[in-house]
């Protein structure tokens, strides 16, 4: 029989094309990908050895017996391994779990048996042998090789069908296609053994896998050409189950800022450099570009010493600049090592750690435990905020504002309180930002506003000498188109004039959202509301914009006062006093009323009186208190 090698030759070209395609697409370091590469190499070896072996078998007279034996063996060894390699590939795709180790060992046994049979074949000649004319002939156990390969395929089909939920339909179809297409030529070849078809069909199957499963376009970050967060998610799903992994996270701060400063192209070049450097440093692990200047490497079975080594290398590298020429920049870096699954229990926590922005000025280590604690606290606070919104259990406290000239309490700041039955007092500094992020601030703002209006009306505050109530307004509220309508409804419900409410806007908000705020403030001002600028001096003020906005009162932040005269130590810096004094003078010259908050001591009060402050607010007068306590306090102080 003359073996026809045309199909094998075609298969060689196809395999070379696939390998070339993967190489130009930058072979990516992931296990499944390496197994796929292994299958290609096996396939290629089988093709070459099948061609040479068949040539030897066709014309044995031209080749030595050793060479004939050698190539036939190489073919059988490499081709036999394909079925097992496919199973390994399947295991990686569906996420192999530790508990299945025994199953895997059992699966390897048939392969071991056939390998032993092949190794001992020269003695027993049960698989193949050469007759006196050195013609290649199958031995009685040769069908065993096909049977085992067939059983492996059947098991593969079972695995794909059973785990099809864990892999996408496209993937499971590609795998079933691969297995079906490798079975067709087996049948053909039983009838037409001279046509060496199997490898050709296997290569077609591998190509199918290449363009579906191994097509990495959707898992690659186009900027750096590295695996993206989608790919990371798939790998992490598996790593969380198998354990024994460490995720290294490397972050640079404030990518947006650098993009603006040196331009996208230059920054992308730097990100590519960082990514390439990471690929070299973690060469035996998979590396990922998670976006926003955050990178990760997923390391299996890495020792603590190796992690230390990578930490040191990272810190050393980031001590030196990235990029070239005038765009050569030094970045602080944050390095984190997260043990999976010991350090994190959920994927959500894990991605929070990966995504949490690094806003450091100097290179540092990520405190995984602290970050998770912070995150979980945030999740809890969010839950408590939602609950309090539903049950309307927010309370509003009032802190008196002292009018120095008139020597009486003339207003109060309404401050929201969240006191949970189970978790107790949650400070507004903690829950307000959470509520701003999830939108509940709109409801909270409405509750506080309504409470303040009701209190002003029902508590007969006007008669007690209280001229208005200060209500904090979040910038998120200013973005709501409904704001004016909501306020209008409440005002008419309690028949209150808008001038009885002074809306406080924090200085940081005016720095970031000038246009938007300007519109909202203008509209509300025309409606009759007055405005106070809160937290003045905390570092954001753009005085040019500020004085275009119609603020009546400027509330100087307590940090400015405390630097000039600290409430507990009783000391302060001379420059801070000069700063406070001149700030007050300047603002007064601009016709603003000045309020200083955080007044805790008599000394502070005296200093502020000397500097000509109009209003004061602080623990020296009263902490924020419930409305009945506030009323009693005002009755005494204002001697009504
Ligand atoms: P803020 O608007 O600057 O409110 C003043 C904060 O300083 C209050 O903290 C008050 O208790 C505290 N304070 C007043 N006098 C003193 C003092 O003499 N010493 C010290 N150490 N602290 C003093 P609180 O109530 O914890 O509120 C914190 C922040 O939460 C507020 O800062 C405000 O930005 C926000 N907030 C509170 N309630 C609301 C609300 O209803 N809506 C909005 N949007 N924000 C609110
Ligand atoms: Ca305030
Ligand atoms: Ca304030």
């Amino acid at each position: 029989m003359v073996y026809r090698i045309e199909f094998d030759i075609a298969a060689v070209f196809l395999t070379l094309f696939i390998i070339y395609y993967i190489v130009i697409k930058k072979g990516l370091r992931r296990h499944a990908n390496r197994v796929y590469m292994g299958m290609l190499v096996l396939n290629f070896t089988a093709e070459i050895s099948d061609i040479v072996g068949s040539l030897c078998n066709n014309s044995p007279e031209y080749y030595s017996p050793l060479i004939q034996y050698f190539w036939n063996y190489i073919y059988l060894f490499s081709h036999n391994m394909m079925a097992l390699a496919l199973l390994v590939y399947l295991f990686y795709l569906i996420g192999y779990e530790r508990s299945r180790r025994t199953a895997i060992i059992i699966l390897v046994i048939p392969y071991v048996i056939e390998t032993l049979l092949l190794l001992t074949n020269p003695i027993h000649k049960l698989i193949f042998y050469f007759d006196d004319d050195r013609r290649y002939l199958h031995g009685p156990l040769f069908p065993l090789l096909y049977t085992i390969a067939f059983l492996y395929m059947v098991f593969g089909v079972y695995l794909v069908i059973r785990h099809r939920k864990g892999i996408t339909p496209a993937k499971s179809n590609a795998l079933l296609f691969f297995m079906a297409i490798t079975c067709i030529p087996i049948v053909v070849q039983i009838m037409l053994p001279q046509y060496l078809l199997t490898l050709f069909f296997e290569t077609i199957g591998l190509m199918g896998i290449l363009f579906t499963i191994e097509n990495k376009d959707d898992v690659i970050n186009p900027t750096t050409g590295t695996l993206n967060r989608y790919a990371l998610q798939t790998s992490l799903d598996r790593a969380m189950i198998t354990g024994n992994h460490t995720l290294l996270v490397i972050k640079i701060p404030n990518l947006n800022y650098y993009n603006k400063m040196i331009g996208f192209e230059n920054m992308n070049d730097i990100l590519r450099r960082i990514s390439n450097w990471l690929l070299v440093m973690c060469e035996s692990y998979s590396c990922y570009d998670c976006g926003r200047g955050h990178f990760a490497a997923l390391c299996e079975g890495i020792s603590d010493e190796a992690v230390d080594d990578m930490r040191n290398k990272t810190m050393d590298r980031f001590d030196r600049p990235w990029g070239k020429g005038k765009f050569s920049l030094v970045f602080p870096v944050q390095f984190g090592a997260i043990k999976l699954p010991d350090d994190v229990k959920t994927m959500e926590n894990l991605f929070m750690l990966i995504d949490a922005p690094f806003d450091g000025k100097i290179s540092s280590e990520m405190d995984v435990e602290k970050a998770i604690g912070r995150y979980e606290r945030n999740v809890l606070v969010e839950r408590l905020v939602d609950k309090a919104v539903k049950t309307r259990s927010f309370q509003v406290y009032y802190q008196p504002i002292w009018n120095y000239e008139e020597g009486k309490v003339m207003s109060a700041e309404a401050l929201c309180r969240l006191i949970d039955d189970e978790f107790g007092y949650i400070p507004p500094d903690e829950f307000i930002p959470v509520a701003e992020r999830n939108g509940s601030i709109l409801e909270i703002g409405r509750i506080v506003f309504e409470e303040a209006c009701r209190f002003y009306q029902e508590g007969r505050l006007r008669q007690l000498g209280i001229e208005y109530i200060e209500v904090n307004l979040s910038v998120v509220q200013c973005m709501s188109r409904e704001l004016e309508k909501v306020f209008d409804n409440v005002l008419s419900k309690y028949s209150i004039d808008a001038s009885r409410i002074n809306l406080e806007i924090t200085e940081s908000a005016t720095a970031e959202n000038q246009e938007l705020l300007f519109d909202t403030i203008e509209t509300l001002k025309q409606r009759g509301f007055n405005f106070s600028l809160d937290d003045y001096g905390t570092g954001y003020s753009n005085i040019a914009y500020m004085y275009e906005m119609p603020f009546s009162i400027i509330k100087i932040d307590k940090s400015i006062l405390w630097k000039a005269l600290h409430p507990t130590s009783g000391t302060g810096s001379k420059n801070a006093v000069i700063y406070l004094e001149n700030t007050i003078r300047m603002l007064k010259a601009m016709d603003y009323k000045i309020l200083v908050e955080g007044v805790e001591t008599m000394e502070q009060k005296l200093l502020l009186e000397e500097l000509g402050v109009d209003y004061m607010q602080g623990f020296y007068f009263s902490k924020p208190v419930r409305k009945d306590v506030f009323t009693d306090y005002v009755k005494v102080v204002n001697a009504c």
Side-chain angles (χ1 to χ4, degrees):
M1 180 169 58
V2 175
Y3 292 102
R4 309 293 306 255
I5 58 171
E6 293 87 340
F7 281 100
D8 268 352
I9 292 174
V12 167
F13 282 107
L14 274 183
T15 312
L16 284 175
F17 166 76
I18 299 175
I19 293 175
Y20 170 74
Y21 183 83
I22 291 182
V23 170
I24 58 161
K25 279 259 174 185
K26 268 202 194 161
L28 299 163
R29 296 185 185 91
R30 277 210 307 171
H31 285 300
N33 194 273
R34 272 187 248 155
V35 181
Y36 180 75
M37 219 31 192
M39 291 195 334
L40 283 178
V41 172
L42 273 182
N43 203 45
F44 187 70
T45 315
E47 284 155 8
I48 297 291
S49 51
D50 201 20
I51 293 172
V52 184
S54 303
L55 288 176
C56 294
N57 296 343
N58 286 345
S59 324
E61 62 278 17
Y62 295 124
Y63 306 91
S64 75
L66 200 66
I67 293 215
Q68 194 180 3
Y69 246 106
F70 174 79
W71 286 107
N72 278 293
Y73 263 116
I74 294 289
Y75 166 71
L76 286 172
F77 272 119
S78 51
H79 201 184
N80 268 335
M81 218 188 268
M82 272 301 275
L84 185 68
L86 177 70
L87 274 194
V88 175
Y89 184 66
L90 281 180
F91 271 114
Y92 274 114
L93 283 183
I94 59 182
Y96 123 104
E97 290 157 35
R98 290 198 145 203
S99 54
R100 302 230 182 97
R101 266 213 170 147
T102 33
I104 291 170
I105 291 169
I106 295 171
L107 277 176
V108 173
I109 290 174
Y111 176 74
V112 173
I113 293 174
E114 61 183 9
T115 308
L116 286 176
L117 276 172
L118 269 175
L119 284 173
T120 51
N121 186 61
I123 304 163
H124 52 65
K125 298 191 168 46
L126 291 171
I127 306 286
F128 75 95
Y129 63 96
F130 298 108
D131 67 4
D132 295 343
D133 299 330
R134 280 183 38 214
R135 272 186 312 144
Y136 171 86
L137 294 166
H138 288 164
L141 284 189
F142 190 86
L144 185 72
L145 303 186
Y146 277 121
T147 315
I148 290 177
F150 183 72
L151 288 178
Y152 274 138
M153 288 295 163
V154 171
F155 186 70
V157 172
Y158 161 78
L159 274 184
V160 173
I161 293 176
R162 185 163 165 218
H163 295 277
R164 65 184 178 287
K165 280 197 189 122
I167 45 182
T168 58
K171 278 187 187 177
S172 56
N173 289 345
L175 290 167
L176 291 174
F177 166 73
F178 177 86
M179 287 182 277
I181 211 156
T182 35
C183 288
I184 299 170
I186 297 178
V187 181
V188 178
Q189 235 174 324
I190 290 171
M191 292 180 287
L192 298 166
Q194 72 273 31
Y195 286 101
L196 305 174
L197 289 173
T198 43
L199 285 164
F200 179 73
F201 277 83
E202 275 169 31
T203 313
I204 302 251
L206 282 171
M207 232 167 147
I209 290 182
L210 173 74
F211 290 119
T212 47
I213 302 171
E214 291 296 319
N215 181 2
K216 299 284 182 231
D217 286 352
D218 55 344
V219 291
I220 287 184
N221 186 310
T223 311
T224 50
T226 316
L227 289 165
N228 64 14
R229 52 185 294 125
Y230 175 72
L232 178 61
Q233 181 156 10
T234 326
S235 305
L236 286 178
D237 279 337
R238 204 164 47 224
M240 288 289 270
I241 298 169
T242 56
N244 194 27
H245 280 76
T246 302
L247 183 75
L248 304 182
V249 180
I250 289 172
K251 299 177 184 177
I252 59 166
N254 218 340
L255 187 61
N256 276 347
Y257 169 76
Y258 289 108
N259 275 336
K260 268 191 223 151
M261 201 170 81
I262 65 169
F264 273 99
E265 271 316 308
N266 295 313
M267 198 55 210
N268 282 350
D269 176 57
I270 288 177
L271 291 175
R272 266 191 293 276
R273 283 164 196 266
I274 295 178
S275 156
N276 287 340
W277 161 82
L278 184 67
L279 283 169
V280 173
M281 181 176 77
C282 304
E283 61 164 344
S284 39
Y285 305 110
S286 311
C287 299
Y288 304 85
D289 177 348
C290 310
R292 288 182 269 178
H294 296 187
F295 296 89
L298 185 59
C299 313
E300 186 172 5
I302 189 172
S303 67
D304 289 351
E305 292 73 40
V307 172
D308 284 345
D309 185 46
M310 294 210 191
R311 176 184 298 109
N312 294 337
K313 279 188 182 148
T314 307
M315 295 301 173
D316 283 352
R317 179 59 193 89
F318 277 82
D319 263 350
R320 288 181 287 120
W322 294 93
K324 57 175 194 287
K326 59 184 174 179
F327 297 121
S328 165
L329 300 178
V330 179
F331 300 94
V333 66
Q334 189 182 40
F335 181 94
I338 309 163
K339 289 199 170 121
L340 306 180
D342 307 358
D343 289 349
V344 280
K345 295 285 163 281
T346 63
M347 280 300 257
E348 201 186 338
N349 272 358
L350 189 48
F351 270 94
M352 177 280 299
L353 287 172
I354 296 166
D355 291 337
F358 165 49
D359 47 15
K361 301 263 181 297
I362 50 164
S363 296
S364 64
E365 172 100 28
M366 185 158 120
D367 188 334
V368 172
E369 212 176 307
K370 209 161 132 193
I372 290 181
R374 235 186 354 242
Y375 176 73
E376 283 178 348
R377 173 79 184 172
N378 256 354
V379 172
L380 171 74
V381 170
E382 190 166 350
R383 192 161 59 77
L384 299 182
V385 166
D386 286 346
K387 189 171 99 181
V389 167
K390 274 197 201 98
T391 55
R392 290 190 68 98
S393 52
F394 285 106
Q395 298 180 35
V396 179
Y397 277 31
Y398 298 87
Q399 186 176 31
I401 293 174
W402 177 257
N403 182 328
Y404 167 63
E405 208 178 294
E406 295 182 17
K408 65 166 196 168
V409 174
M410 57 115 196
S411 67
E413 178 171 5
L415 292 158
C416 187
R417 293 290 176 260
L418 171 53
I419 303 164
D420 186 78
D421 296 339
E422 192 182 341
F423 295 94
Y425 175 72
I426 314 287
D429 285 331
E430 204 178 358
F431 76 78
I432 296 285
V434 171
E436 284 180 330
R437 273 197 300 274
N438 81 358
S440 326
I441 191 70
L442 297 178
E443 188 56 18
I444 297 176
R446 208 181 60 76
I447 294 172
V448 175
F449 184 81
E450 179 159 3
E451 262 306 304
C453 291
R454 181 192 296 148
F455 180 41
Y456 194 81
Q457 191 61 296
E458 293 172 0
R460 301 178 174 279
L461 296 192
R462 185 86 204 266
Q463 287 86 317
L464 296 177
I466 303 296
E467 287 158 30
Y468 56 88
I469 303 265
E470 299 259 342
V471 174
N472 290 285
L473 192 61
S474 154
V475 70
V476 179
Q477 286 173 276
C478 296
M479 289 195 253
S480 154
R481 300 230 164 268
E482 304 286 288
L483 190 65
E484 199 192 346
K485 214 164 77 199
V486 170
F487 282 178
D488 259 350
N489 289 343
V490 176
L491 289 178
S492 48
K493 183 170 171 189
Y494 297 99
S495 325
I496 282 202
D497 194 79
S499 62
R500 299 289 152 207
I501 300 293
N502 216 327
L503 295 168
E504 291 190 6
I505 291 182
T506 169
E507 185 193 50
S508 56
T510 62
E512 281 166 24
N513 307 281
Q514 286 144 3
E515 304 282 308
L516 178 85
L517 274 175
F518 205 84
D519 285 352
T520 314
I521 293 179
E522 265 310 313
T523 320
L524 292 172
K525 181 84 193 168
Q526 276 164 22
R527 180 70 192 73
F529 288 100
N530 286 313
F531 283 88
S532 300
L533 180 68
D534 204 358
D535 304 332
Y536 181 86
T538 40
Y540 297 92
S541 62
N542 181 339
I543 194 91
Y545 270 99
M546 192 200 88
Y547 63 63
E548 280 177 16
M549 296 196 194
F551 292 113
S552 326
I553 300 172
I554 308 291
K555 297 185 77 170
I556 296 178
D557 192 70
K558 55 178 165 283
S559 59
I560 311 286
L561 168 66
W562 289 15
K563 276 190 193 120
L565 183 55
H566 199 270
T568 40
S569 68
T571 56
S573 91
K574 192 172 131 250
N575 281 353
V577 178
I578 295 172
Y579 177 69
L580 178 62
E581 189 179 347
N582 284 287
T583 304
I584 293 169
R585 185 177 308 140
M586 175 188 76
L587 294 172
K588 274 178 88 78
M590 292 175 168
D591 275 345
Y592 292 115
K593 291 284 186 193
I594 314 295
L595 188 158
V596 176
E597 29 171 53
V599 184
E600 291 198 357
T601 62
M602 169 74 119
E603 291 71 28
Q604 287 179 324
K605 178 179 175 259
L606 292 175
L607 171 70
L608 295 174
E609 283 173 4
E610 209 178 293
L611 298 179
V613 164
D614 303 289
Y615 314 132
M616 294 178 222
Q617 177 184 352
F619 294 175
Y620 174 76
F621 303 97
S622 164
K623 289 194 169 179
V625 288
R626 283 205 322 267
K627 57 184 180 188
D628 49 333
V629 181
F630 175 79
T631 313
D632 293 344
Y633 174 86
V634 177
K635 278 182 185 154
V636 174
V637 174
N638 287 3
C640 300

